[in-house]
């Protein structure tokens, strides 16, 4: 193991699309289930200005999940009841990355979750991952009224880990979310496929994660 690899003390993981199967897959499956065009739901929450604004408000904790459900349902003309839960019905753990995170912790490093929140009630999308038991630090954006890619939420996560950026690796599936981490001195891994994510972590850490 090189001196560079030995400097890392923690890995910070995004949640959706990193510790889970791709979010686009869940959006497409939901649209098919309720009879919408293939990309209708995805485009509403990811690209439509009104839908994007609602998601940003949810992530900041400015609105709750029920209000988000009602707002997105109104745009799409669908039932709002437990909309987030229904939309994420096919969200499942990405086992390769989940197991890699466990291996990182077993190797003596810390792990953290930094997630732009999808709301915690009435539907808690994080429950199957048992994040509190499996990670040292959990940061949900809604609890702090800031969200990625705002630099303050990255610094908050570092403060909770009690580590400088240079001691951490940050993993996210959104390239724009990597930039603030890099500016704070973190090494970054762009999560694309699970295999490439694990490979990137192995190269930086110098420990087997497969």
């Amino acid at each position: 193991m090189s001196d560079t690899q030995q400097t890392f003390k923690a890995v910070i993981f995004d949640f959706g699309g990193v510790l889970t199967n791709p979010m686009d897959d869940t959006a497409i499956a939901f649209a098919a289930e309720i009879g919408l065009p293939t990309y209708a739901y995805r485009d509403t929450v990811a690209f439509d200005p009104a839908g994007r604004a609602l998601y940003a408000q949810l992530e900041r904790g400015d609105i709750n999940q029920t209000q988000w459900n009602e707002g997105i349902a109104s745009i799409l003309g669908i039932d709002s009841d437990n909309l987030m839960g229904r939309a994420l019905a096919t969200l499942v753990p990405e086992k390769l990355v989940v197991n890699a995170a466990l291996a990182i912790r077993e190797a003596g490093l810390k792990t953290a979750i930094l997630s732009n929140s999808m709301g915690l009630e009435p539907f808690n999308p994080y429950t199957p991952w048992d994040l509190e038991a499996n990670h040292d630090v959990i940061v949900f954006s809604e609890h702090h009224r800031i969200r990625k890619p705002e630099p303050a939420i990255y610094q908050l996560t570092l403060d909770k880990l009690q580590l400088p950026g240079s001691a951490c690796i940050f993993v996210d599936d959104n390239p724009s979310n990597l930039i603030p981490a890099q500016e704070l001195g973190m090494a970054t891994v762009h999560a694309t496929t699970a295999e490439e994510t694990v490979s990137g972590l192995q190269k930086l850490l110098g420990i087997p994660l497969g």
Side-chain angles (χ1 to χ4, degrees), residues 113-136:
I113 303 299
L114 172 52
S115 176
N116 278 349
S117 181
M118 294 179 278
L120 301 173
E121 56 183 29
F123 172 75
N124 187 336
Y126 305 98
T127 297
W129 283 258
D130 200 9
L131 297 179
E132 287 77 9
N134 291 316
H135 301 277
D136 299 280

PDB file of all heavy atoms in Angstrom, residues 113-136:
ATOM      1  N   ILE A 113     -22.630   8.600   5.271  1.00  0.00           N
ATOM      2  CA  ILE A 113     -23.649   8.800   4.241  1.00  0.00           C
ATOM      3  C   ILE A 113     -23.961  10.282   4.166  1.00  0.00           C
ATOM      4  O   ILE A 113     -24.248  10.924   5.181  1.00  0.00           O
ATOM      5  CB  ILE A 113     -24.941   8.025   4.569  1.00  0.00           C
ATOM      6  CG1 ILE A 113     -24.667   6.532   4.731  1.00  0.00           C
ATOM      7  CG2 ILE A 113     -26.002   8.272   3.491  1.00  0.00           C
ATOM      8  CD1 ILE A 113     -24.103   5.857   3.507  1.00  0.00           C
ATOM      9  N   LEU A 114     -23.885  10.836   2.960  1.00  0.00           N
ATOM     10  CA  LEU A 114     -24.278  12.223   2.712  1.00  0.00           C
ATOM     11  C   LEU A 114     -25.330  12.196   1.616  1.00  0.00           C
ATOM     12  O   LEU A 114     -25.025  11.993   0.441  1.00  0.00           O
ATOM     13  CB  LEU A 114     -23.074  13.059   2.289  1.00  0.00           C
ATOM     14  CG  LEU A 114     -23.357  14.488   1.805  1.00  0.00           C
ATOM     15  CD1 LEU A 114     -24.209  15.262   2.797  1.00  0.00           C
ATOM     16  CD2 LEU A 114     -22.063  15.217   1.504  1.00  0.00           C
ATOM     17  N   SER A 115     -26.588  12.369   2.010  1.00  0.00           N
ATOM     18  CA  SER A 115     -27.698  12.192   1.073  1.00  0.00           C
ATOM     19  C   SER A 115     -28.603  13.410   1.040  1.00  0.00           C
ATOM     20  O   SER A 115     -29.018  13.915   2.094  1.00  0.00           O
ATOM     21  CB  SER A 115     -28.532  10.966   1.477  1.00  0.00           C
ATOM     22  OG  SER A 115     -29.665  10.814   0.644  1.00  0.00           O
ATOM     23  N   ASN A 116     -28.909  13.881  -0.165  1.00  0.00           N
ATOM     24  CA  ASN A 116     -30.012  14.823  -0.326  1.00  0.00           C
ATOM     25  C   ASN A 116     -31.292  14.052  -0.049  1.00  0.00           C
ATOM     26  O   ASN A 116     -31.621  13.101  -0.762  1.00  0.00           O
ATOM     27  CB  ASN A 116     -30.015  15.416  -1.730  1.00  0.00           C
ATOM     28  CG  ASN A 116     -29.045  16.569  -1.877  1.00  0.00           C
ATOM     29  OD1 ASN A 116     -28.500  17.079  -0.901  1.00  0.00           O
ATOM     30  ND2 ASN A 116     -28.814  16.986  -3.111  1.00  0.00           N
ATOM     31  N   SER A 117     -31.996  14.443   0.969  1.00  0.00           N
ATOM     32  CA  SER A 117     -33.083  13.639   1.511  1.00  0.00           C
ATOM     33  C   SER A 117     -34.263  13.485   0.551  1.00  0.00           C
ATOM     34  O   SER A 117     -34.624  14.412  -0.174  1.00  0.00           O
ATOM     35  CB  SER A 117     -33.569  14.256   2.813  1.00  0.00           C
ATOM     36  OG  SER A 117     -34.603  13.486   3.381  1.00  0.00           O
ATOM     37  N   MET A 118     -34.859  12.309   0.605  1.00  0.00           N
ATOM     38  CA  MET A 118     -36.110  12.044  -0.105  1.00  0.00           C
ATOM     39  C   MET A 118     -37.288  12.055   0.868  1.00  0.00           C
ATOM     40  O   MET A 118     -38.377  11.591   0.544  1.00  0.00           O
ATOM     41  CB  MET A 118     -36.020  10.700  -0.833  1.00  0.00           C
ATOM     42  CG  MET A 118     -34.989  10.698  -1.943  1.00  0.00           C
ATOM     43  SD  MET A 118     -34.843   9.107  -2.810  1.00  0.00           S
ATOM     44  CE  MET A 118     -33.765   8.217  -1.682  1.00  0.00           C
ATOM     45  N   GLY A 119     -37.038  12.585   2.057  1.00  0.00           N
ATOM     46  CA  GLY A 119     -38.062  12.573   3.098  1.00  0.00           C
ATOM     47  C   GLY A 119     -37.972  11.290   3.901  1.00  0.00           C
ATOM     48  O   GLY A 119     -37.557  10.248   3.388  1.00  0.00           O
ATOM     49  N   LEU A 120     -38.383  11.360   5.144  1.00  0.00           N
ATOM     50  CA  LEU A 120     -38.292  10.208   6.038  1.00  0.00           C
ATOM     51  C   LEU A 120     -39.652   9.689   6.487  1.00  0.00           C
ATOM     52  O   LEU A 120     -39.746   8.597   7.031  1.00  0.00           O
ATOM     53  CB  LEU A 120     -37.458  10.565   7.267  1.00  0.00           C
ATOM     54  CG  LEU A 120     -36.016  11.015   6.971  1.00  0.00           C
ATOM     55  CD1 LEU A 120     -35.344  11.512   8.236  1.00  0.00           C
ATOM     56  CD2 LEU A 120     -35.224   9.871   6.357  1.00  0.00           C
ATOM     57  N   GLU A 121     -40.701  10.474   6.249  1.00  0.00           N
ATOM     58  CA  GLU A 121     -42.038  10.012   6.620  1.00  0.00           C
ATOM     59  C   GLU A 121     -43.077  10.715   5.748  1.00  0.00           C
ATOM     60  O   GLU A 121     -42.837  11.829   5.269  1.00  0.00           O
ATOM     61  CB  GLU A 121     -42.315  10.303   8.105  1.00  0.00           C
ATOM     62  CG  GLU A 121     -42.159  11.730   8.522  1.00  0.00           C
ATOM     63  CD  GLU A 121     -42.392  11.915  10.021  1.00  0.00           C
ATOM     64  OE1 GLU A 121     -42.139  10.991  10.801  1.00  0.00           O
ATOM     65  OE2 GLU A 121     -42.852  13.013  10.384  1.00  0.00           O
ATOM     66  N   PRO A 122     -44.170  10.031   5.454  1.00  0.00           N
ATOM     67  CA  PRO A 122     -44.589   8.738   6.011  1.00  0.00           C
ATOM     68  C   PRO A 122     -43.817   7.538   5.466  1.00  0.00           C
ATOM     69  O   PRO A 122     -43.884   6.458   6.036  1.00  0.00           O
ATOM     70  CB  PRO A 122     -46.065   8.642   5.623  1.00  0.00           C
ATOM     71  CG  PRO A 122     -46.153   9.455   4.366  1.00  0.00           C
ATOM     72  CD  PRO A 122     -45.199  10.603   4.567  1.00  0.00           C
ATOM     73  N   PHE A 123     -43.079   7.703   4.354  1.00  0.00           N
ATOM     74  CA  PHE A 123     -42.300   6.594   3.809  1.00  0.00           C
ATOM     75  C   PHE A 123     -40.818   6.873   4.016  1.00  0.00           C
ATOM     76  O   PHE A 123     -40.314   7.922   3.623  1.00  0.00           O
ATOM     77  CB  PHE A 123     -42.582   6.422   2.309  1.00  0.00           C
ATOM     78  CG  PHE A 123     -41.675   5.427   1.630  1.00  0.00           C
ATOM     79  CD1 PHE A 123     -41.857   4.070   1.825  1.00  0.00           C
ATOM     80  CD2 PHE A 123     -40.643   5.848   0.814  1.00  0.00           C
ATOM     81  CE1 PHE A 123     -41.014   3.142   1.206  1.00  0.00           C
ATOM     82  CE2 PHE A 123     -39.809   4.943   0.190  1.00  0.00           C
ATOM     83  CZ  PHE A 123     -39.996   3.585   0.382  1.00  0.00           C
ATOM     84  N   ASN A 124     -40.128   5.930   4.664  1.00  0.00           N
ATOM     85  CA  ASN A 124     -38.695   6.073   4.883  1.00  0.00           C
ATOM     86  C   ASN A 124     -37.938   5.189   3.894  1.00  0.00           C
ATOM     87  O   ASN A 124     -37.881   3.971   4.067  1.00  0.00           O
ATOM     88  CB  ASN A 124     -38.321   5.702   6.314  1.00  0.00           C
ATOM     89  CG  ASN A 124     -36.870   5.995   6.636  1.00  0.00           C
ATOM     90  OD1 ASN A 124     -36.016   6.056   5.749  1.00  0.00           O
ATOM     91  ND2 ASN A 124     -36.565   6.182   7.907  1.00  0.00           N
ATOM     92  N   PRO A 125     -37.349   5.776   2.849  1.00  0.00           N
ATOM     93  CA  PRO A 125     -36.684   4.955   1.835  1.00  0.00           C
ATOM     94  C   PRO A 125     -35.388   4.321   2.308  1.00  0.00           C
ATOM     95  O   PRO A 125     -34.858   3.422   1.649  1.00  0.00           O
ATOM     96  CB  PRO A 125     -36.404   5.966   0.707  1.00  0.00           C
ATOM     97  CG  PRO A 125     -36.301   7.283   1.397  1.00  0.00           C
ATOM     98  CD  PRO A 125     -37.275   7.211   2.536  1.00  0.00           C
ATOM     99  N   TYR A 126     -34.873   4.749   3.457  1.00  0.00           N
ATOM    100  CA  TYR A 126     -33.570   4.288   3.915  1.00  0.00           C
ATOM    101  C   TYR A 126     -33.638   3.044   4.802  1.00  0.00           C
ATOM    102  O   TYR A 126     -32.605   2.435   5.098  1.00  0.00           O
ATOM    103  CB  TYR A 126     -32.871   5.410   4.699  1.00  0.00           C
ATOM    104  CG  TYR A 126     -32.748   6.695   3.930  1.00  0.00           C
ATOM    105  CD1 TYR A 126     -33.659   7.738   4.117  1.00  0.00           C
ATOM    106  CD2 TYR A 126     -31.730   6.886   3.002  1.00  0.00           C
ATOM    107  CE1 TYR A 126     -33.551   8.927   3.409  1.00  0.00           C
ATOM    108  CE2 TYR A 126     -31.617   8.070   2.289  1.00  0.00           C
ATOM    109  CZ  TYR A 126     -32.530   9.087   2.495  1.00  0.00           C
ATOM    110  OH  TYR A 126     -32.421  10.258   1.794  1.00  0.00           O
ATOM    111  N   THR A 127     -34.829   2.663   5.228  1.00  0.00           N
ATOM    112  CA  THR A 127     -34.987   1.609   6.225  1.00  0.00           C
ATOM    113  C   THR A 127     -34.264   0.303   5.882  1.00  0.00           C
ATOM    114  O   THR A 127     -33.553  -0.257   6.739  1.00  0.00           O
ATOM    115  CB  THR A 127     -36.470   1.329   6.483  1.00  0.00           C
ATOM    116  OG1 THR A 127     -37.074   2.513   7.021  1.00  0.00           O
ATOM    117  CG2 THR A 127     -36.666   0.194   7.472  1.00  0.00           C
ATOM    118  N   PRO A 128     -34.370  -0.237   4.656  1.00  0.00           N
ATOM    119  CA  PRO A 128     -33.734  -1.532   4.385  1.00  0.00           C
ATOM    120  C   PRO A 128     -32.206  -1.526   4.515  1.00  0.00           C
ATOM    121  O   PRO A 128     -31.599  -2.599   4.641  1.00  0.00           O
ATOM    122  CB  PRO A 128     -34.153  -1.838   2.940  1.00  0.00           C
ATOM    123  CG  PRO A 128     -35.397  -1.041   2.726  1.00  0.00           C
ATOM    124  CD  PRO A 128     -35.185   0.210   3.505  1.00  0.00           C
ATOM    125  N   TRP A 129     -31.589  -0.362   4.491  1.00  0.00           N
ATOM    126  CA  TRP A 129     -30.129  -0.280   4.522  1.00  0.00           C
ATOM    127  C   TRP A 129     -29.567  -0.226   5.946  1.00  0.00           C
ATOM    128  O   TRP A 129     -28.379  -0.394   6.133  1.00  0.00           O
ATOM    129  CB  TRP A 129     -29.654   0.937   3.731  1.00  0.00           C
ATOM    130  CG  TRP A 129     -29.707   0.736   2.261  1.00  0.00           C
ATOM    131  CD1 TRP A 129     -28.670   0.448   1.419  1.00  0.00           C
ATOM    132  CD2 TRP A 129     -30.864   0.777   1.422  1.00  0.00           C
ATOM    133  NE1 TRP A 129     -29.112   0.314   0.129  1.00  0.00           N
ATOM    134  CE2 TRP A 129     -30.461   0.510   0.095  1.00  0.00           C
ATOM    135  CE3 TRP A 129     -32.225   1.024   1.664  1.00  0.00           C
ATOM    136  CZ2 TRP A 129     -31.347   0.480  -0.977  1.00  0.00           C
ATOM    137  CZ3 TRP A 129     -33.100   0.985   0.600  1.00  0.00           C
ATOM    138  CH2 TRP A 129     -32.672   0.719  -0.701  1.00  0.00           C
ATOM    139  N   ASP A 130     -30.405   0.006   6.948  1.00  0.00           N
ATOM    140  CA  ASP A 130     -29.967   0.079   8.348  1.00  0.00           C
ATOM    141  C   ASP A 130     -28.713   0.955   8.462  1.00  0.00           C
ATOM    142  O   ASP A 130     -27.674   0.544   8.990  1.00  0.00           O
ATOM    143  CB  ASP A 130     -29.703  -1.330   8.880  1.00  0.00           C
ATOM    144  CG  ASP A 130     -29.723  -1.392  10.405  1.00  0.00           C
ATOM    145  OD1 ASP A 130     -30.101  -0.376  11.029  1.00  0.00           O
ATOM    146  OD2 ASP A 130     -29.333  -2.430  10.962  1.00  0.00           O
ATOM    147  N   LEU A 131     -28.822   2.158   7.951  1.00  0.00           N
ATOM    148  CA  LEU A 131     -27.652   3.033   7.814  1.00  0.00           C
ATOM    149  C   LEU A 131     -26.989   3.352   9.142  1.00  0.00           C
ATOM    150  O   LEU A 131     -25.755   3.395   9.240  1.00  0.00           O
ATOM    151  CB  LEU A 131     -28.065   4.328   7.117  1.00  0.00           C
ATOM    152  CG  LEU A 131     -28.581   4.189   5.680  1.00  0.00           C
ATOM    153  CD1 LEU A 131     -28.972   5.557   5.129  1.00  0.00           C
ATOM    154  CD2 LEU A 131     -27.539   3.535   4.779  1.00  0.00           C
ATOM    155  N   GLU A 132     -27.770   3.592  10.183  1.00  0.00           N
ATOM    156  CA  GLU A 132     -27.195   3.981  11.466  1.00  0.00           C
ATOM    157  C   GLU A 132     -26.298   2.889  12.033  1.00  0.00           C
ATOM    158  O   GLU A 132     -25.278   3.185  12.670  1.00  0.00           O
ATOM    159  CB  GLU A 132     -28.304   4.323  12.467  1.00  0.00           C
ATOM    160  CG  GLU A 132     -29.005   5.643  12.188  1.00  0.00           C
ATOM    161  CD  GLU A 132     -30.009   5.555  11.039  1.00  0.00           C
ATOM    162  OE1 GLU A 132     -30.299   4.432  10.557  1.00  0.00           O
ATOM    163  OE2 GLU A 132     -30.500   6.614  10.601  1.00  0.00           O
ATOM    164  N   ALA A 133     -26.656   1.629  11.790  1.00  0.00           N
ATOM    165  CA  ALA A 133     -25.855   0.523  12.310  1.00  0.00           C
ATOM    166  C   ALA A 133     -24.610   0.260  11.470  1.00  0.00           C
ATOM    167  O   ALA A 133     -23.619  -0.266  11.974  1.00  0.00           O
ATOM    168  CB  ALA A 133     -26.706  -0.752  12.383  1.00  0.00           C
ATOM    169  N   ASN A 134     -24.655   0.648  10.197  1.00  0.00           N
ATOM    170  CA  ASN A 134     -23.589   0.259   9.270  1.00  0.00           C
ATOM    171  C   ASN A 134     -22.630   1.379   8.894  1.00  0.00           C
ATOM    172  O   ASN A 134     -21.668   1.140   8.147  1.00  0.00           O
ATOM    173  CB  ASN A 134     -24.207  -0.334   8.004  1.00  0.00           C
ATOM    174  CG  ASN A 134     -24.871  -1.666   8.265  1.00  0.00           C
ATOM    175  OD1 ASN A 134     -24.320  -2.510   8.960  1.00  0.00           O
ATOM    176  ND2 ASN A 134     -26.069  -1.864   7.728  1.00  0.00           N
ATOM    177  N   HIS A 135     -22.877   2.602   9.408  1.00  0.00           N
ATOM    178  CA  HIS A 135     -22.020   3.731   9.075  1.00  0.00           C
ATOM    179  C   HIS A 135     -21.780   4.590  10.311  1.00  0.00           C
ATOM    180  O   HIS A 135     -22.592   4.612  11.233  1.00  0.00           O
ATOM    181  CB  HIS A 135     -22.631   4.555   7.939  1.00  0.00           C
ATOM    182  CG  HIS A 135     -22.833   3.758   6.691  1.00  0.00           C
ATOM    183  ND1 HIS A 135     -21.836   3.536   5.773  1.00  0.00           N
ATOM    184  CD2 HIS A 135     -23.917   3.071   6.233  1.00  0.00           C
ATOM    185  CE1 HIS A 135     -22.288   2.769   4.793  1.00  0.00           C
ATOM    186  NE2 HIS A 135     -23.552   2.470   5.047  1.00  0.00           N
ATOM    187  N   ASP A 136     -20.680   5.308  10.291  1.00  0.00           N
ATOM    188  CA  ASP A 136     -20.301   6.112  11.454  1.00  0.00           C
ATOM    189  C   ASP A 136     -21.025   7.446  11.519  1.00  0.00           C
ATOM    190  O   ASP A 136     -21.295   7.950  12.612  1.00  0.00           O
ATOM    191  CB  ASP A 136     -18.785   6.353  11.425  1.00  0.00           C
ATOM    192  CG  ASP A 136     -17.999   5.055  11.491  1.00  0.00           C
ATOM    193  OD1 ASP A 136     -17.845   4.513  12.600  1.00  0.00           O
ATOM    194  OD2 ASP A 136     -17.557   4.571  10.423  1.00  0.00           O
TER     195      ASP A 136
END
